[in-house]
Amino acid sequence: MIVLFTDFGPAGPYVGQMKAVLHREAPHSAVVDLVSDAPSHDPMAAAYLLAACVGEFAEGTVFLCVVDPGVGTGRLPLVVEADGRRYVGPDNGLFEPLLRRAATARAWQITWRPERLSASFHGRDLFAPVAARLARGEPPPGPERAPHDLRRMPGAGWPDDLARIIYIDHYGNAVTGLRAAPLGAEAVLEAGGRELRRARHFSELPAGAAFWYENANGLAEVAVARGHAARDLGLALGAEVTVRQRQGRHGKT
Amino acid sequence: MIVLFTDFGPAGPYVGQMKAVLHREAPHSAVVDLVSDAPSHDPMAAAYLLAACVGEFAEGTVFLCVVDPGVGTGRLPLVVEADGRRYVGPDNGLFEPLLRRAATARAWQITWRPERLSASFHGRDLFAPVAARLARGEPPPGPERAPHDLRRMPGAGWPDDLARIIYIDHYGNAVTGLRAAPLGAEAVLEAGGRELRRARHFSELPAGAAFWYENANGLAEVAVARGHAARDLGLALGAEVTVRQRQGRHGKT
Amino acid sequence: MIVLFTDFGPAGPYVGQMKAVLHREAPHSAVVDLVSDAPSHDPMAAAYLLAACVGEFAEGTVFLCVVDPGVGTGRLPLVVEADGRRYVGPDNGLFEPLLRRAATARAWQITWRPERLSASFHGRDLFAPVAARLARGEPPPGPERAPHDLRRMPGAGWPDDLARIIYIDHYGNAVTGLRAAPLGAEAVLEAGGRELRRARHFSELPAGAAFWYENANGLAEVAVARGHAARDLGLALGAEVTVRQRQGRHGKT
C-alpha cells in the first residue's frame, strides 16, 4: 500500500497527477490518501502530525510524503525506514520525529533522477516514481546513509514533542504536537489565553466548555464541546501551547 | 463495495485511517467516498441526506456511516439492512429515514468490541472493522434487534421529510430534506425570507433568479441561476424552510 | 484508467455517485480524481486547465469531464479523442484547447440516452456510463463528427492561450491559462496591478517577493515567495493578466 501525506489540498490536480504516476509505475498497489492538508510550507508541524498518524498502517507500507517548501533547492531527497514502514520525501525534518521514536531505522539518499524533473513538483517527478519502486519490492535508488547523519537536534528547535497547534481538523479541533500519554491527568494546557483541563471526552462536558483530551492518535487536542475550538478560542495553526501541571491541594491552580 | 458517508472533511487523516483499516480487513472490496462533509454533529440533517443518496448503489453495498457526536456515550453501534443495502454506524437517528422508507428492514446491535477502542474514533476502531466483516460476507457481530425498537417517532421531531436546509453544495445550492415528488408543481418554498417557485432547471431562468427544483437525488433544492444560493439568500445549514401550495385563479399567491 | 475532472467539489455526493456508476459499469478500471475544483460554471477557464494537466496520462486514458453549466439545455454530449486520450463531456468549449493543440483528433456525438436522465446531473446519468463503455473497450455510442465542426474560433473569444487566472491552488498560487514556453525569459506579467518578472522558482527569491514562473504543467503561474499570491496580490479566479516583453537596455521596463 502506498499512503499519501501532502500539503497539496484535497481538490486540485497535484494529488491526481501523483496518483497517475503511481498507477503507471505500480499498478498493483492500493493508494490511500491519508492527509492532503498537512500544514503548508511547514515541515516541522507536518512532521509531528505524520508521526502520530502512521500507527494504523502495516509494516511494509510506503508513505509518499510531500511537504516540501524547499523543492528546487539543495535539500536531499530521502527514503527512510522506521519500524518497518518506509517513507519517501524531502530531507527537511519531515521524518525527524519518526526517526527519533523508532526502535529501528535506516535511511537512503535518492540519487536517481528522472528524465524530466520539474523545478517545483518533485512529488510527481521524483518521489512518486521512487515510492512506486519500493512498492514493487525494489531497493531505494541510492546509497544508504546513517540515520544519525540526517537527524535534527533538539537544541536546533526540534523538541521531542512540539508545543504548538499543528493541525485544525474539520470540526475545528486544534491538535497539538504533544503526545498526551506523558502529560498525565493533571496537566493544564494554556492556549489562546485560556487554561484548559483534561477531559476524557466531549460527552462529559456541557456545550461550550473548552478542554483538552487525548485524541485517537495519541496527541493532546484542544476542543470545545459542541463548538469549534479554533474559532471559539482564536487558535491558528502554529499557535503556541504551554503545559503546566496542576498543583495538589496545597497549591494554586 | 464499501461506501463512506462521514462528517470528517475531505482532507484530513480520519478518512484515510478508516480506509487503512478497510484495506487491511477487506482487501478485495472497492471503497468509494460518497460524502465527507455531511452536516457536522447533526445526525438528523445527515440522515435525510443519506437516505436521498443511496439509490445509485447496488444491493449488497455496505455503507460505513459516521456522523457521531455521541461517540463515547452510551449510544448503541448498529448494523441496519434496508432494501438490501447494509449500513454500519451509530444509533442516533442516522438510519431513521432509511428504515421508515424501506420495504424490508432488519437490524443488529454490534456487541463485538476491538482490542483497542479509542474514546473518540469509533469510525476507525469499531465501525470500519464491522463494515469490512460485512463486505467479506460475514454476519453482523451481535444480536438481531427488531427495527421497530430502534425507530424514532414522528412526534419526537423526526418527520417523514425534513423542512430544513440539510446540505450546501460546492455551487452554493441549498438542499432541503424535503422530497420533491410529493410537493407538486405549484408548491412554493419560503426560505431566507424569500418565496421560491419551482422550476425545472437553471437553464429556464435569467441570471440571478432564485427558485427551487427537484435535484438529481429527488430532493427539493434551492438555487440561484448562475449564482450562489446560500450566499445570495443568506441560507445556512439548518435554516428552516416552509412549504405552501400556490392558490388557483381565485386565490392569492 | 478513468480520470475525473469536475467542478463538483471534493467533499460532496456527486463525485461518489459518479464513481458508483463507474464501478458498476467498468469494475476493472482504476478511477483517479484529477481535479474536483475546476472553475465552477466556467468551461472556458476549465478548458485551459484541463489541457495543461493531461500530459501525465497514458494513451487510452478516459477523462470524464464535467464542467457543465448548460446541463439541461440543448448543448451536445461529446466524446473527443485527442492525441490518443479520450474525453467525455459537454460540447461547451471544454475540449477546445485540447482539440486545437492535438496532432490527431476525432470526435463523436453521444446519441445514446439512459433509461433515467435527470435534468441536472448528466455527469452521473449520461457521461459516466459512456466513460465506462469506453474504458471497457466499446466504441462511442453515437455518430462520428468532424472535429472541425465542433471547434470554437479564436475570434469568438477562444484564444490559443487564455490571459486570465484560471485556477487558484491550495497554496494560493494563481495559475494563468498562458503556456510559459512561448513567453520567454524576459516576459513581464501584469496582474492585480503589479508587474511580475519571471523567476525559475520560489527558492531564488526573498520572502514576500511576487513573481511568475513556469509551473510543473507548463503554465505561467503567479506566486509570492512564502506567501499566498491570490490574497497578497488580490487575484481572483478570472482576473485578467497582461503580457509585456521587457525592453533591452535602450528601452524602458
Side-chain angles (χ1 to χ4, degrees):
Chain A
M1 182 189 285
I2 302 173
V3 174
L4 308 184
F5 181 96
T6 76
D7 64 354
F8 293 170
Y14 312 132
V15 170
Q17 290 189 302
M18 284 209 317
K19 285 182 178 171
V21 173
L22 294 173
H23 189 265
R24 188 180 67 215
E25 306 281 327
H28 302 297
S29 286
V31 175
V32 167
D33 293 292
L34 179 58
V35 170
S36 60
D37 65 347
S40 283
H41 304 312
D42 189 347
M44 183 180 280
Y48 293 85
L49 180 64
L50 173 62
C53 291
V54 303
E56 216 55 46
F57 295 87
E59 287 199 10
T61 302
V62 176
F63 292 81
L64 173 48
C65 303
V66 193
V67 178
D68 192 17
V71 61
T73 66
R75 62 100 189 85
L76 299 180
L78 292 183
V79 172
V80 162
E81 185 179 298
D83 291 334
R85 302 180 190 98
R86 286 162 302 165
Y87 305 85
V88 182
D91 175 35
N92 57 15
L94 194 49
F95 306 131
E96 174 62 25
L98 283 165
L99 283 170
R100 203 177 292 182
R101 298 170 191 177
T104 62
R106 298 175 67 184
W108 295 261
Q109 179 180 343
I110 300 169
T111 50
W112 171 82
R113 290 294 179 276
E115 261 182 60
R116 185 189 67 161
L117 180 63
S118 65
S120 57
F121 197 1
H122 289 195
R124 178 190 70 188
D125 299 336
L126 182 66
F127 297 127
V130 170
R133 279 173 188 235
L134 299 181
R136 290 196 310 253
E138 298 174 24
E144 189 159 0
R145 296 281 305 269
H148 187 272
D149 292 347
L150 304 167
R151 293 281 306 283
R152 265 76 180 167
M153 295 300 115
W158 288 84
D160 285 344
D161 291 87
L162 188 63
R164 284 171 44 198
I165 302 300
I166 61 168
Y167 188 72
I168 312 259
D169 77 9
H170 192 68
Y171 306 106
N173 291 351
V175 180
T176 74
L178 300 163
R179 283 168 294 180
L183 294 178
E186 299 301 307
V188 173
L189 295 193
E190 295 183 8
R194 297 277 289 271
E195 300 207 337
L196 306 163
R197 295 199 183 180
R198 183 172 190 159
R200 190 166 163 281
H201 193 242
F202 303 86
S203 52
E204 297 176 355
L205 293 163
F211 63 101
W212 75 270
Y213 78 113
E214 176 171 359
N215 74 13
N217 293 314
L219 295 176
E221 179 171 312
V222 175
V224 168
R226 305 191 76 77
H228 188 286
R231 210 155 43 212
D232 298 348
L233 307 178
L235 292 174
L237 215 53
E240 293 203 8
V241 175
T242 309
V243 182
R244 282 196 306 106
Q245 294 300 325
R246 251 197 308 164
Q247 303 300 316
R249 54 187 169 153
H250 301 296
K252 291 179 180 175
T253 309
Chain B
M1 183 190 283
I2 302 172
V3 174
L4 307 185
F5 181 96
T6 76
D7 65 353
F8 293 170
Y14 311 134
V15 169
Q17 289 189 302
M18 286 209 317
K19 285 183 179 170
V21 172
L22 295 173
H23 188 266
R24 188 180 67 216
E25 306 281 328
H28 303 296
S29 287
V31 176
V32 167
D33 294 290
L34 180 58
V35 170
S36 61
D37 65 346
S40 283
H41 304 314
D42 189 345
M44 182 179 281
Y48 292 86
L49 180 64
L50 174 62
C53 291
V54 303
E56 215 55 47
F57 295 88
E59 287 199 13
T61 302
V62 176
F63 291 80
L64 173 47
C65 303
V66 194
V67 178
D68 193 16
V71 61
T73 66
R75 63 101 188 86
L76 299 179
L78 292 184
V79 173
V80 162
E81 185 179 299
D83 291 334
R85 301 181 191 97
R86 287 163 300 167
Y87 304 85
V88 182
D91 176 34
N92 57 14
L94 193 50
F95 306 130
E96 174 61 24
L98 283 165
L99 283 169
R100 202 177 291 182
R101 299 171 190 177
T104 62
R106 298 175 68 185
W108 294 261
Q109 179 180 342
I110 300 169
T111 50
W112 172 82
R113 290 293 178 277
E115 262 182 58
R116 184 191 67 160
L117 180 62
S118 65
S120 57
F121 197 1
H122 289 196
R124 178 190 70 188
D125 299 337
L126 184 65
F127 296 127
V130 170
R133 280 175 188 232
L134 300 181
R136 289 196 311 253
E138 298 176 24
E144 188 160 2
R145 296 280 306 270
H148 187 271
D149 292 350
L150 304 168
R151 294 279 307 282
R152 265 76 180 168
M153 294 301 115
W158 288 84
D160 285 345
D161 291 87
L162 189 63
R164 284 170 45 198
I165 302 301
I166 62 168
Y167 188 71
I168 313 260
D169 77 9
H170 192 67
Y171 306 106
N173 292 351
V175 182
T176 74
L178 300 163
R179 284 168 294 182
L183 294 179
E186 299 301 306
V188 173
L189 295 194
E190 295 183 7
R194 295 279 289 270
E195 301 207 337
L196 306 164
R197 296 200 182 178
R198 183 170 190 159
R200 187 163 167 282
H201 193 243
F202 303 86
S203 50
E204 298 177 356
L205 293 163
F211 63 102
W212 75 270
Y213 78 113
E214 176 171 359
N215 74 14
N217 293 314
L219 295 176
E221 179 171 312
V222 176
V224 168
R226 303 192 76 78
H228 188 287
R231 209 155 44 211
D232 297 348
L233 306 177
L235 292 174
L237 215 54
E240 293 203 8
V241 175
T242 310
V243 182
R244 280 195 308 107
Q245 294 300 326
R246 253 198 304 164
Q247 303 300 317
R249 54 184 169 158
H250 301 297
K252 292 180 180 174
T253 309
Chain C
M1 182 190 283
I2 302 173
V3 173
L4 308 184
F5 181 95
T6 76
D7 63 355
F8 293 170
Y14 312 133
V15 169
Q17 290 189 302
M18 284 208 319
K19 285 182 178 171
V21 172
L22 295 174
H23 189 265
R24 188 180 67 216
E25 307 281 328
H28 302 297
S29 287
V31 176
V32 167
D33 294 292
L34 178 59
V35 170
S36 61
D37 65 347
S40 284
H41 305 313
D42 189 346
M44 183 180 281
Y48 292 85
L49 181 64
L50 173 62
C53 290
V54 303
E56 214 55 48
F57 295 87
E59 287 200 11
T61 301
V62 176
F63 292 81
L64 173 47
C65 303
V66 194
V67 177
D68 193 16
V71 62
T73 66
R75 63 101 189 85
L76 299 179
L78 292 184
V79 172
V80 163
E81 185 179 298
D83 290 335
R85 303 181 189 98
R86 286 163 302 166
Y87 304 85
V88 182
D91 175 33
N92 58 14
L94 193 49
F95 306 131
E96 174 61 23
L98 283 165
L99 283 170
R100 202 175 293 182
R101 299 172 190 176
T104 62
R106 297 176 67 185
W108 295 261
Q109 179 180 344
I110 300 169
T111 50
W112 170 82
R113 290 295 178 275
E115 263 182 57
R116 184 190 68 160
L117 179 64
S118 65
S120 57
F121 197 1
H122 289 196
R124 178 191 68 188
D125 299 337
L126 182 65
F127 296 126
V130 171
R133 280 174 187 232
L134 299 181
R136 290 195 312 252
E138 298 176 23
E144 188 158 2
R145 295 281 306 269
H148 186 270
D149 293 347
L150 304 167
R151 294 278 308 283
R152 265 76 181 167
M153 294 301 114
W158 289 85
D160 286 344
D161 290 88
L162 189 63
R164 286 170 44 198
I165 302 301
I166 61 168
Y167 188 72
I168 311 258
D169 78 7
H170 192 68
Y171 306 106
N173 292 352
V175 180
T176 74
L178 300 164
R179 285 168 294 182
L183 293 179
E186 299 301 307
V188 174
L189 296 193
E190 295 183 7
R194 296 277 289 269
E195 300 207 338
L196 306 163
R197 296 203 182 177
R198 184 171 190 160
R200 190 165 164 280
H201 193 245
F202 303 86
S203 51
E204 297 176 354
L205 294 162
F211 63 102
W212 76 270
Y213 77 113
E214 175 171 0
N215 75 13
N217 293 314
L219 295 176
E221 178 172 313
V222 175
V224 168
R226 303 192 77 77
H228 188 286
R231 209 156 44 213
D232 297 349
L233 306 178
L235 292 174
L237 215 54
E240 293 201 8
V241 175
T242 309
V243 182
R244 282 197 306 109
Q245 294 300 327
R246 250 194 310 163
Q247 303 300 318
R249 54 185 170 153
H250 301 296
K252 289 179 181 175
T253 309

